[in-house]
Amino acid sequence: VPLEAGILHPSHMEPFCSGPAEDTVDQELLPVLEAAPAPEPPDPKTCSPREYLEYYVFPVLLPGLAGLLHEAEKEKCFEGRRTKFIALDFLTEWLYNKNPKREDESFTEFFSIPFVKDWLKDHPRPPIPLSLLLSEEEASIIIQSFWRGYRVRCDSEIQQLRQWQKRLREERHINKVVKKFWTKQEAK
């Protein structure tokens, strides 16, 4: 391809106007798109990989990726290193629900998709860490309550009370008493 073919000359450009006509001096020049007849799609079994991607994959995948970016922005994925948002799950759900073969069917959540259910039966996921499930406010409440409890347990009077309770449990064999109680209850 010659270098000149990729260069747009000012004769093929028109000003991009979004405001009054007086501001057209500083406006950018954008190419004029001429309405070309839509080419007939190639045969998917005989076309080149590039044609297949351009005509069959990208028109479906690119809107899904745009939706993925919007959802990732909502989930604040660009603000931190770790998030609970799983991009592949979102994209799978989006593509499944936007499938033209499923136009008349209702929205299906990710874990309700049949092939996802089958896959997760054989390959269960580890649980999502609590640090990713909690909001910052919920996490701060848990941390603060732990810290308050720690500060209270450090108090000398509380230490004495806890030591007295420990001795009492050991002297009266509380564990054995509790076991006997539950065996009697189960026997009933």
Side-chain angles (χ1 to χ4, degrees), residues 13-184:
M13 308 282 255
E14 72 176 18
F16 175 67
C17 298
S18 61
E22 296 112 27
D23 297 334
T24 58
V25 176
D26 296 329
Q27 296 292 331
E28 284 185 45
L29 295 178
L30 295 176
V32 178
L33 297 176
E34 297 175 14
E40 190 175 313
D43 179 26
K45 296 185 180 183
T46 60
C47 66
S48 69
R50 180 184 175 126
E51 289 175 326
Y52 187 83
L53 287 173
E54 288 176 354
Y55 285 98
Y56 297 103
V57 176
F58 290 148
V60 175
L61 187 60
L62 292 179
L65 291 175
L68 173 71
L69 289 173
H70 289 297
E71 189 67 24
E73 189 175 11
K74 275 190 223 171
E75 295 285 336
K76 300 179 181 177
C77 292
F78 305 121
E79 294 176 12
R81 289 184 105 171
R82 298 174 60 215
T83 63
K84 65 180 177 181
F85 180 69
I86 302 173
L88 288 176
D89 290 358
F90 175 84
L91 194 57
T92 302
E93 180 182 281
W94 192 91
L95 289 171
Y96 184 79
N97 287 308
K98 300 292 181 177
N99 187 343
K101 295 177 183 175
R102 297 190 70 251
E103 278 182 10
D104 299 332
E105 296 181 32
S106 62
F107 179 83
T108 306
E109 291 196 16
F110 177 74
F111 292 105
S112 300
I113 298 173
F115 66 84
V116 172
K117 282 182 180 177
D118 294 341
W119 174 262
L120 291 176
K121 282 180 192 172
D122 299 332
H123 307 88
R125 290 183 171 175
I128 296 175
L130 187 61
S131 62
L132 297 179
L133 295 176
L134 296 175
S135 68
E136 286 188 27
E137 184 177 315
E138 293 169 329
S140 65
I141 289 171
I142 291 173
I143 292 169
Q144 289 169 3
S145 63
F146 173 80
W147 179 250
R148 279 191 225 106
Y150 171 76
R151 296 297 298 157
V152 166
R153 288 188 297 273
C154 287
D155 186 12
S156 62
E157 290 181 7
I158 301 297
Q159 287 292 324
Q160 289 175 359
L161 174 65
R162 294 179 78 199
Q163 289 171 358
W164 176 78
Q165 288 174 333
K166 183 179 177 182
R167 280 194 313 270
L168 187 63
R169 276 193 304 266
E170 290 171 355
E171 290 171 1
R172 294 192 178 174
H173 306 291
I174 296 296
N175 290 337
K176 290 180 182 176
V177 172
V178 170
K179 278 185 182 179
K180 285 179 186 176
F181 171 79
W182 283 112
T183 54
K184 287 179 185 176

